[in-house]
Amino acid sequence: MRARTMGMTLAQWRAIYAISRAQGATQRSIAEAMDVGDVTAGRLVDRLAEKGWIERRVDLDDRRVHRLYLTPAAGPLLEQLSMLGEDEQRNQLTGVSAQELARMSDVLDRMIANLEQADMPLLTPDHMAIE
C-alpha cells in the first residue's frame, strides 16, 4: 500500500528490483526471476517504460532481443523503495529474535530442499479434474 503512494504496484516494485539486480537482462529472464509469465512481465515492462523508469535497448548480437536497463529517473525511486523495504522489514521482524529468525531460516531452507528433491509426478489435465 505504501508503494502505491509512489505511483507503483508491488509487481512493478519487484520488476524494478529485478532489473536493478540484472541490468541488461532480457524480459524473459526478468519474468523467470520474478516467477511470472512472459505476458505478465511484458505488461510490467511496458508500464515501467511508459513511466520513464526503464528502457529497452536492442541487443547488438540479436536484433529480436531487447535488453532492459534502468533510466536515471529510476535512481531516486530505488532509494525510496529501498528505505520503504527496510522500514517494512523492521515492522515485520519486531519482537522476533535473531535466534528465532535463524531457526526459521533453517526450517525454510530444509523445506525448500525437500521440495527440490521430491519425486513428484507431473500432473496432467486428467489428474486435475475435479469430480
Side-chain angles (χ1 to χ4, degrees):
M1 287 174 26
R2 291 173 61 192
R4 284 212 180 269
T5 64
M6 298 164 45
M8 159 172 286
T9 66
L10 178 58
Q12 290 170 342
W13 181 355
R14 290 182 62 220
I16 286 271
Y17 179 74
I19 295 166
S20 75
R21 307 266 304 164
Q23 292 272 345
T26 63
Q27 187 170 298
R28 175 164 285 164
S29 64
I30 294 300
E32 289 171 1
M34 294 178 59
D35 198 25
V36 299
D38 290 345
V39 173
T40 299
R43 283 192 217 118
L44 285 168
V45 167
D46 287 344
R47 283 190 213 108
L48 295 174
E50 287 169 11
K51 291 183 178 197
W53 293 327
I54 67 165
E55 65 182 1
R56 291 178 172 107
R57 296 182 197 161
V58 175
D59 186 293
L60 298 176
D61 296 325
D62 186 346
R63 306 291 262 155
R64 298 169 297 175
V65 175
H66 288 85
R67 305 258 171 209
L68 304 176
Y69 296 89
L70 296 179
T71 65
L77 177 69
L78 277 173
E79 287 180 34
Q80 288 179 307
L81 290 173
S82 178
M83 288 188 300
L84 179 65
E86 290 170 9
D87 191 39
E88 286 299 313
Q89 188 173 35
R90 266 192 305 279
N91 290 337
Q92 293 167 8
L93 296 177
T94 298
V96 178
S97 71
Q99 187 177 27
E100 290 171 318
L101 193 56
R103 263 197 317 255
M104 180 178 61
S105 181
D106 288 343
V107 170
L108 291 173
D109 287 344
R110 276 185 275 150
M111 291 171 67
I112 290 168
N114 290 344
L115 290 172
E116 289 171 345
Q117 294 175 11
D119 185 24
M120 298 171 48
L122 181 62
L123 293 178
T124 62
D126 293 340
H127 290 97
M128 293 188 273
I130 298 175
E131 296 180 24

